[in-house]
Amino acid sequence: MNSYQTIYGTLVSLCREHELAPTFTLDQPEDALHGDYATNAAMAAAKELGKNSKELAEELAETLRSTLGDQVESISVAGPGFINFTLARPVISGIVK
């Protein structure tokens, strides 16, 4: 399974745990400073859950850090609740090979 599939699958699982439809996007940001992937999952789920999207993004980021472990170098929250993923170097090396 590649890094995109792993992150996407993890987000889908989190949606299902909360009985939410997976209506988020997971894309490569145009600006490399925003990491290798970015998702709007918190913003997509916030309204249904009655939560602030930025606060929900922080909660999701913490869960994702522990779930994805050493596959990611960092997970950060930006703007109104985007979650940015920077892949770990060994993962990137595996992609390039």
Side-chain angles (χ1 to χ4, degrees):
M1 187 178 298
N2 67 37
S3 58
Y4 179 91
Q5 292 170 325
T6 300
I7 294 169
Y8 187 86
T10 301
L11 290 167
V12 168
S13 294
L14 290 170
C15 285
R16 288 185 179 145
E17 285 177 23
H18 296 281
E19 300 179 2
L20 297 171
T23 58
F24 61 87
T25 61
L26 178 63
D27 300 306
Q28 291 181 314
E30 290 181 23
D31 187 341
L33 294 174
H34 296 180
D36 298 299
Y37 297 111
T39 185
N40 67 342
M43 293 181 291
K47 187 173 183 179
E48 280 189 70
L49 294 173
K51 291 188 170 190
N52 175 284
S53 61
K54 187 154 184 135
E55 290 173 8
L56 181 58
E58 293 290 352
E59 292 173 24
L60 278 173
E62 188 62 36
T63 300
L64 290 162
R65 284 182 197 102
S66 65
T67 303
L68 297 171
D70 60 0
Q71 295 179 58
V72 291
E73 182 177 307
S74 68
I75 298 175
S76 61
V77 174
F82 289 102
I83 301 172
N84 299 323
F85 302 84
T86 300
L87 300 176
R89 287 193 181 271
V91 173
I92 294 171
S93 296
I95 293 170
V96 174
K97 288 183 180 180

